[in-house]
Amino acid sequence: MSALTIQLPDSVFAAMMALSKREGVPVDSLFATAAAEKISAMYGIDFLEQHASQAPAQEEFLRILSKVPNNPPDAGDEW
């Protein structure tokens, strides 16, 4: 584990302390979870951008889509 000292606006700190008390978890666990969630979200964006750049051309997409039968939706799946 590593230690980190950060400065927070008083309102953010107060909210984290209140949430920590309400949930019965240490405040450092909340910060670690918040950081992990943010990292995951940012890596998720990188992942999607990388795979989107490798996507087939629109023509290929439309060719594949044309194989789907044009049937009415099943009961309950209507808009």
Side-chain angles (χ1 to χ4, degrees):
M1 287 281 216
S2 297
L4 174 67
T5 302
I6 60 172
Q7 294 186 358
L8 299 170
D10 292 337
S11 59
V12 173
F13 182 75
M16 289 298 279
M17 294 301 289
L19 187 58
S20 170
K21 184 176 180 181
R22 185 185 85 188
E23 297 298 316
V25 297
V27 72
D28 58 334
S29 294
L30 288 178
F31 278 104
T33 301
E37 288 176 2
K38 183 64 174 183
I39 291 166
S40 176
M42 294 180 86
Y43 277 130
I45 290 169
D46 292 345
F47 175 84
L48 291 174
E49 287 175 345
Q50 177 185 7
H51 287 295
S53 69
Q54 299 170 1
Q58 183 176 1
E59 296 82 24
E60 178 69 3
F61 173 75
L62 293 174
R63 184 187 68 75
I64 294 168
L65 189 61
S66 71
K67 295 180 180 184
V68 178
N70 190 15
N71 296 333
D74 293 339
D77 285 346
E78 305 90 353
W79 281 90

